Amino acid sequence: MNVVAVQTPRKVQRSLVLLVPAVLFGLLVTLQWRTQAERSELSVRYNAPLIDAASALQKEQNELKTQLAQLRARLDEIQRNASSQSGAAKELQLQLDELKASAGLTPESGDGVVVQLDDARNVSVSSRDIDKSICHATDLTDIINTAWKGGAQAIAVNDERLVNSSSVYCVGSTIMVNGTLMSPPFNIAAIGPQNSLLGAYDDPNQLQDIKQRRDVQGLGFHVSRASAIHVPAFSGALNVRYAEPH
Amino acid sequence: MRTNRGAIWASIIALFLGFAAVTQVHSQDVFSRSLNLETPSSLTTLIANLSETNNELRNEIFDVRRAVSDAQNSVSSGQGTLTEAERQVAQLRVFSAQSAVAGPGIAVRIDGSFDERALSDLVNELRNAGAEAIAVNDMRVGPKSYFTGAADRSIAVDGRPLRGPWMVRAIGSPDVVYVAMTRTGGIIGQFELIYRTTRFAVTKETALDLPAQVAAAR
């Protein structure tokens, strides 16, 4: 805008006249470009109330998770205060702390790797190849499996901590992790031994399909060393209803 | 000349602004952007999934809220919170595969050629269907379990090779997990198309006994 500001008033006026149509033109070009990728209006018409319902449920879920986290913290505080009274209680509290950490109920930080996975962007792919240029749930499960294999101690996908009940679920082209809606790009943060993790991802026998799609269709796949990664605590429900310990 | 140059600059900036405005509008809600591409039937499935997750969260909130008030009461009556801590320890040991467990569920018998990625996908699908504890043959699957292929067509779980036929057992609601595996277009149906000579048998089980996870061999 500096360039416009130094013009004489008359010239500024002339430029301003151009400004409005140019903004409109920019809007149009972009809208056109964006809508081409989307479905026809007809199917969108039936979808609108369903999309609203899904968005409302996801919003509600975020609130429920916050509420649960607060209650868990409150319970933890009461137990911690009470456990200072006896030796047996102290012992039990230690055991509980260890279990919470190994179950993924405590946040973790440390060095590790971050894997970025994204749909191919700004690359013209033929419609035949579209399927290969976008991220799938199975790409995520393969990337996660490789991280555990590489010795990861804690993993989060877009800030959803992976625990024993975690699953990656795919409906149409939408992906859910821990029952939470997600869309690309995906950031898979894995805390663990960096060399071993990088070695697992560099192994040419691993993730062959993803690497080939990165090279040919422009799928976004990038592994990098990262220090002081923060992985949040699991904020979902611990469903134990059918399994009885024995 | 100068006017033209100014106009060109203004146009470029305006084009950029227009682009930025639209991008801004679109990026306000990342979910609805991708949801726009879904069919009504996919959306209905997503909604069912979200509702289920939210119901589980509500149940857990109810339980933890009660645990908080119980703990407060027992502290004020001078009893301490040992019972609640013991209950949590037991629950977390089951949740993180550290104790052996019993319960109803399903069993999937896989006889024929199969591979580690498919096994990993099957475990993912079982978890998604609400399985609370899973074992492959006699290896309990834990939070950090990983699957690798081995030379003799065996599949390793946490570095320990397991030979087929594989028996994958999962504790959870037998009806829910069974339907999730065997529905039309479900994972077993897909496997049957990919591994044509392999036999997949899914059965509901009233009493399964799964061992605790053993330390991963690295």
Side-chain angles (χ1 to χ4, degrees):
Chain A
M1 283 298 162
N2 287 337
V3 184
V4 179
V6 297
Q7 304 295 322
T8 63
R10 198 178 55 86
K11 283 174 181 171
V12 168
Q13 227 171 15
R14 213 184 284 172
S15 292
L16 279 176
V17 169
L18 269 169
L19 188 76
V20 175
V23 169
L24 278 172
F25 180 67
L27 273 162
L28 279 173
V29 167
T30 317
L31 269 176
Q32 183 57 29
W33 177 68
R34 303 219 54 129
T35 40
Q36 266 174 357
E38 288 165 20
R39 291 274 170 86
S40 71
E41 263 179 53
L42 200 67
S43 77
V44 172
R45 189 174 93 195
Y46 297 103
N47 283 10
L50 292 173
I51 291 170
D52 288 348
S55 301
L57 282 169
Q58 180 59 59
K59 196 165 162 264
E60 185 191 24
Q61 187 188 107
N62 299 343
E63 287 159 9
L64 289 170
K65 281 179 172 172
T66 311
Q67 216 179 324
L68 181 56
Q70 283 165 351
L71 281 168
R72 278 181 180 153
R74 178 86 191 99
L75 183 59
D76 186 67
E77 187 193 323
I78 297 169
Q79 285 174 327
R80 217 164 277 281
N81 288 337
S83 73
S84 58
Q85 289 162 3
S86 79
K90 251 180 220 166
E91 189 101 341
L92 195 59
Q93 186 62 39
L94 273 176
Q95 201 186 348
L96 194 53
D97 287 343
E98 249 174 68
L99 271 168
K100 279 181 182 174
S102 72
L105 291 177
T106 53
E108 301 288 335
S109 4
D111 295 346
V113 300
V114 171
V115 182
Q116 284 165 312
L117 179 73
D118 197 1
D119 294 344
R121 308 259 167 180
N122 306 319
V123 180
S124 60
V125 278
S126 66
S127 56
R128 192 166 48 90
D129 279 352
I130 279 197
D131 208 40
K132 289 182 174 177
S133 70
I134 59 172
C135 331
H136 297 278
T138 46
D139 297 335
L140 279 177
T141 52
D142 286 349
I143 288 170
I144 293 163
N145 190 45
T146 306
W148 291 132
K149 191 188 167 199
Q153 291 305 303
I155 307 178
V157 178
N158 286 6
D159 283 338
E160 272 300 324
R161 178 73 172 271
L162 299 184
V163 295
N164 202 20
S165 62
S166 290
S167 65
V168 181
Y169 184 60
C170 175
V171 184
S173 56
T174 302
I175 287 174
M176 295 176 112
V177 175
N178 289 347
T180 300
L181 286 174
M182 282 188 188
S183 53
F186 297 101
N187 273 293
I188 301 101
I191 296 174
Q194 288 180 319
N195 290 338
S196 162
L197 283 165
L198 286 174
Y201 285 107
D202 287 342
D203 182 346
N205 294 317
Q206 295 289 317
L207 309 173
Q208 288 173 339
D209 175 49
I210 293 175
K211 288 171 185 168
Q212 195 190 347
R213 281 154 56 212
R214 172 187 61 192
D215 298 341
V216 179
Q217 278 86 17
L219 179 79
F221 173 69
H222 186 71
V223 184
S224 50
R225 241 175 238 274
S227 40
I229 302 174
H230 178 78
V231 165
F234 175 64
S235 56
L238 306 170
N239 287 319
V240 178
R241 272 175 298 189
Y242 293 89
E244 291 279 339
H246 69 93
Chain B
M1 233 8 231
R2 277 197 63 82
T3 315
N4 279 347
R5 203 183 289 170
I8 287 163
W9 272 109
S11 306
I12 289 167
I13 292 163
L15 253 168
F16 174 75
L17 283 177
F19 180 84
V22 174
T23 313
Q24 185 55 36
V25 168
H26 274 262
S27 62
Q28 273 172 353
D29 191 341
V30 286
F31 311 122
S32 54
R33 192 177 71 206
S34 71
L35 292 180
N36 272 329
L37 299 165
E38 299 300 346
T39 62
S41 111
S42 291
L43 283 166
T44 311
T45 314
L46 283 171
I47 286 168
N49 221 295
L50 284 165
S51 302
E52 176 64 20
T53 307
N54 291 8
N55 280 338
E56 285 166 356
L57 281 165
R58 264 189 291 270
N59 288 339
E60 181 114 354
I61 285 170
F62 181 84
D63 290 346
V64 179
R65 187 170 284 148
R66 197 176 45 194
V68 167
S69 79
D70 285 356
Q72 276 168 334
N73 289 340
S74 48
V75 166
S76 56
S77 64
Q79 287 169 348
T81 55
L82 280 176
T83 346
E84 170 56 21
E86 275 161 2
R87 189 199 63 82
Q88 274 180 280
V89 165
Q91 184 195 32
L92 287 173
R93 282 173 59 83
V94 173
F95 183 75
S96 54
Q98 292 182 34
S99 58
V101 285
I106 68 148
V108 185
R109 190 174 189 275
I110 304 157
D111 194 354
S113 69
F114 203 54
D115 60 61
E116 76 278 10
R117 289 170 73 192
L119 182 60
S120 159
D121 287 342
L122 178 61
V123 167
N124 181 64
E125 204 68 13
L126 285 165
R127 282 171 170 163
N128 190 54
E132 296 172 5
I134 302 168
V136 181
N137 292 0
D138 281 319
M139 282 278 285
R140 177 80 172 271
V141 177
K144 299 171 189 174
S145 282
Y146 61 97
F147 306 88
T148 41
D152 56 347
R153 291 164 74 183
S154 63
I155 302 173
V157 176
D158 293 336
R160 184 174 300 204
L162 302 173
R163 298 197 65 106
W166 296 276
M167 185 65 103
V168 182
R169 294 175 297 157
I171 292 179
S173 161
D175 292 327
V176 173
V177 184
Y178 181 86
V179 170
M181 294 303 116
T182 56
R183 68 183 170 85
T184 312
I187 193 159
I188 296 298
Q190 291 176 36
F191 283 162
E192 281 170 341
L193 285 174
I194 300 165
Y195 306 91
R196 282 178 176 279
T197 56
T198 305
R199 274 186 53 80
F200 297 89
V202 187
T203 49
K204 290 185 197 174
E205 302 289 328
T206 48
L208 290 169
D209 245 318
L210 308 187
Q213 192 190 14
V214 291
R218 287 198 185 279

